[in-house]
Amino acid sequence: REREREKGRKRGDRKGLRPVGSLTYAMAAVLASQWPGRVRALMALLNIKLPIIQAPMAASNDWRLAAAVSAAGGLGSIPCALLSPDQIATQVSSFKQVSSSSSPSPYNLNFFAHTPLGSSEAEQRRWLEVLRPLYEARGLAVPDNAVPAAVAAGTGGRQPFGEAACEVVEQLRPPVVSFHFGLPPEPLLQRVYDTGALVLASATTVAEAVWLQRHGVAAVIAQGFEAGGHRGVFLGDGSADAEGDQGGHVDTASGGGDGKNNDGRVQHDTLQQQGVVSPANVARQVGLFSLAPQVADAVDVPVIGAGGIADGRGVAAAITLGCSAVQVGTAYLCTAQAATSPVHRAALHHAAERSAKGEGPPATAVTNVFSGRPARSLVNGLMRHTGFLSGDAPSFPTAPALVAPLRAHAEACASSDFSPLWAGQSFALAQTTQCDGDGNDNDAAATPPCATAITKALAKDTTELMTEWTDS
């Protein structure tokens, strides 16, 4: 076994996702019995065979990726923030059609739980002035100052969990429902619980994890700072206030003193309402290596680790740190079943190649210029122009409106300079092309890897590592 690993190191197999062969998937399943009891307990609760949850990635995954991961024994997720109720129903129907009728695969429906805030004309004008040089340099007509209806309403195409979405959940009765940016208003949340669904939610601090447990979630997703995409912050902005309190605060000035608005939704502080987070606040966010054990010590419900996990080493580390499962996203972005755009795939592949050669600065950064909230992306032209965190970016989720023409123009030219390129810090560990039987990347055909195979390989590598620890 050690000789095989040495061969892998010599041929540049740094991904830790060697083809399943030296250890069969069936054998890996047997070795899974060596995982801690808390891991097996959560797997039983979620009705999955592997402690791997596919992260919901709006615009980069649909039912196909969810089905591929579930087919391997993990939990596939369908992101719903950009979908209408009819589209959600269609996605679930398509998922179920490829699932075994005798033993249907579980799945997770994911929703945002933010409060739409709208965007003023003055805010949009200020943002337009920041973007004006980019329009002019490309010979594009500068938009007028009219605020699109979606911007004025504060949705920006991303819908928070509301009445319509709740009705769909009641009709479909999914086995798992997860939320990002906190939880929906109490009446809606109770209706979700009443369907029998297991509810998961993201926490970026110990305080958020404790709050989520108090509100009845089945498990907490501990989102480390390494994670790609939007930070799940919901109690304040994750910073300390002037007095040094950990995290943000829940405003009780208007809502009966229970930390909620009159509709039951958690109130957020001014910085989060504006979608603006200063570099100092973002700098206080915690990585998974530190966050996971602290959350595991603070709550009694299972903890799911997320952020920087792209191979078996990451899975094994998260379990060792107290997690009962992991949530993996970036590792699936370049799979055949992902809906990732061509420019996003190309950017990931290029960044991974540069990273392997040790070229350039770190390729990802947390930015608010794509949506108005902090989110980790590969660095591109827009981020360099505006700065990673801009005080001029409009409120979440309205920022994309004035960037959209620039993005469309760039993508038509195969450029990703204005596209949100969500990716976690471990993007270089993810496969961007399929491997042959010797672990080498395929030729110029660059066949995308299969999400089912990657999920199985993650489990196999994890059990191999944990077996080594037991043997030693």
Side-chain angles (χ1 to χ4, degrees), residues 111-315:
F111 299 91
F112 285 177
H114 64 285
T115 301
L117 299 166
S119 179
S120 68
E121 186 172 351
E123 192 177 41
Q124 293 292 320
R125 281 178 180 165
R126 186 171 65 247
W127 187 227
L128 180 59
E129 290 309 307
V130 173
L131 301 177
R132 184 180 295 275
L134 300 173
Y135 278 93
E136 294 174 345
R138 289 155 181 77
L140 299 177
V142 180
D144 59 31
N145 291 325
V147 180
V151 170
T155 61
R158 292 174 171 85
Q159 300 288 343
F161 188 79
E163 179 65 30
C166 192
E167 290 180 358
V168 170
V169 168
E170 289 173 324
Q171 294 167 7
L172 299 175
R173 305 183 78 83
V176 182
V177 174
S178 65
F179 293 102
H180 209 50
F181 310 135
L183 294 171
E186 194 68 36
L188 293 177
L189 180 61
Q190 186 57 53
R191 287 167 60 184
V192 174
Y193 285 138
D194 290 343
T195 67
L198 297 171
V199 173
L200 316 178
S202 301
T204 63
T205 64
V206 173
E208 289 179 345
V210 171
W211 189 95
L212 291 172
Q213 176 179 256
R214 195 163 63 242
H215 287 76
V217 299
V220 170
I221 302 167
Q223 187 192 30
F225 193 50
E226 307 92 334
H230 283 99
R231 307 292 302 139
V233 177
F234 65 92
L235 289 184
D237 63 354
S239 70
D241 62 21
E243 284 71 39
D245 289 342
Q246 180 184 1
H249 65 277
V250 178
D251 184 359
T252 60
S254 60
D258 62 352
K260 305 182 183 70
N261 287 321
N262 291 330
D263 67 353
R265 190 182 300 274
V266 175
Q267 285 216 358
H268 302 165
D269 66 13
T270 303
L271 279 179
Q272 184 172 340
Q273 287 178 347
Q274 294 174 347
V276 177
V277 178
S278 72
N281 294 334
V282 170
R284 300 181 70 101
Q285 290 285 285
V286 185
L288 184 63
F289 226 73
S290 179
L291 181 64
Q294 293 183 63
V295 170
D297 288 346
V299 300
D300 297 323
V301 297
V303 177
I304 299 163
I309 301 171
D311 61 16
R313 293 170 296 181
V315 179

Side-chain angles (χ1 to χ4, degrees), residues 138 343 406-419 421:
R138 289 155 181 77
V343 296
L406 292 165
R407 177 180 177 179
H409 178 267
E411 289 186 352
C413 301
S415 169
S416 59
D417 266 344
F418 299 96
S419 306
L421 304 173

Side-chain angles (χ1 to χ4, degrees), residues 6-63:
E6 182 60 28
K7 290 178 182 178
R9 284 191 286 269
K10 288 181 179 179
R11 67 176 175 248
D13 182 16
R14 56 184 171 40
K15 301 178 179 67
L17 288 172
R18 300 178 302 282
V20 176
S22 60
L23 182 67
T24 67
Y25 178 48
M27 290 172 65
V30 172
L31 287 175
S33 62
Q34 298 180 3
W35 290 337
R38 53 185 161 77
V39 176
R40 298 195 302 271
L42 181 59
M43 288 164 56
L45 181 66
L46 297 175
N47 191 28
I48 55 178
K49 298 176 182 177
L50 303 175
I52 298 170
I53 299 170
Q54 167 246 315
M57 300 175 288
S60 289
N61 93 262
D62 57 18
W63 67 269

